[in-house]
Amino acid sequence: MWSWIDEPAGTIRARAFAPAMNIPEDEATGSAVTQLTAQLTRDLLVVQGAGSHLHTTWHPPTHATVGGRVLPAEPRTITI
């Protein structure tokens, strides 16, 4: 899931849930944000999880890279 924090600046808030892989929430999903970057065809700052900041760069026509800063998070339970 994702939503714009600041669309002109390219800042997004995202969360990734993968219960089928026994991962209630992934705190920093680089593979997902590179795909989002490719779909939106622009550089992004993605704030994810409890404080991870992922910076992506769009490399047309088909590539994106990711880097950033991530923080470990304590386990938690989420009921949906």
Side-chain angles (χ1 to χ4, degrees):
M1 298 185 306
W2 68 275
S3 179
W4 291 110
I5 293 173
D6 184 342
E7 186 173 0
T11 306
I12 287 175
R13 174 73 169 123
R15 296 184 73 181
F17 303 98
M21 295 185 293
N22 204 25
I23 302 170
E25 182 172 5
D26 190 336
E27 292 291 320
T29 314
S31 59
V33 300
T34 56
Q35 293 299 308
L36 182 58
T37 298
Q39 288 293 312
L40 297 176
T41 63
R42 63 181 292 182
D43 299 350
L44 300 171
L45 166 59
V46 181
V47 179
Q48 189 174 356
S52 299
H53 290 206
L54 304 171
H55 299 269
T56 66
T57 305
W58 168 237
H59 299 283
T62 60
H63 292 83
T65 57
V66 63
R69 178 181 60 82
V70 298
L71 299 172
E74 293 297 319
R76 62 184 186 237
T77 301
I78 299 170
T79 303
I80 298 176

